Amino acid sequence: MKVAAIHHVSVIVSDLDEALDFYTRVLGLSVRTDRPDSIGPGAWLDAGGQQVHLLPGDPPSARGQHFAVLVDDLDATVAELRAVGLRVSDPVPVGSARQAFLADPAGNAIELHEAATP
């Protein structure tokens, strides 16, 4: 088996409306309208060529779980998020790339990843 790409990541959130606002307004993801009502509450969001699925529930305690979004300019992204009052860690090198972290309203970690420039 060869995996071509990740299609989607599911994230459990304690307040679906609050999470939708965060993921759309703050991170700029867009809501998909093709999610079937028959599968219960939740939301599907487009994140570039992949998706984030939000599912209401009790988020598990943090144990290193997170997902990463690729950003072009980590310093500008961190500054923009801090300007709207979000806590974002300082960017740090990881290998030849850089990363910073923030949390969604349910406490799920989100990595901001800037790839190394060639």
Side-chain angles (χ1 to χ4, degrees):
M1 179 177 122
K2 182 180 177 192
V3 175
I6 292 181
H7 179 268
H8 73 268
V9 173
S10 291
V11 178
I12 298 173
V13 297
S14 50
D15 183 316
L16 184 58
D17 291 333
E18 182 179 42
L20 270 170
D21 178 63
F22 174 82
Y23 282 92
T24 57
R25 184 179 53 79
V26 175
L27 295 186
L29 279 59
S30 57
V31 176
R32 295 179 60 103
T33 58
D34 58 342
R35 185 177 190 278
D37 292 334
S38 62
I39 61 175
W44 288 354
L45 306 171
D46 277 331
Q50 291 77 39
Q51 297 176 28
V52 174
H53 294 183
L54 301 178
L55 304 171
D58 294 323
S61 60
R63 293 195 176 137
Q65 70 178 12
H66 70 279
F67 68 92
V69 294
L70 188 60
V71 299
D72 292 328
D73 185 336
L74 184 58
D75 294 319
T77 300
V78 168
E80 179 182 336
L81 293 170
R82 286 178 175 169
V84 297
L86 292 172
R87 292 179 55 176
V88 184
S89 69
D90 290 335
V92 296
V94 55
S96 59
R98 296 188 322 139
Q99 67 184 20
F101 285 88
L102 72 150
D104 74 7
N108 295 301
I110 300 169
E111 176 184 332
L112 304 171
H113 186 88
E114 179 186 70
T117 54

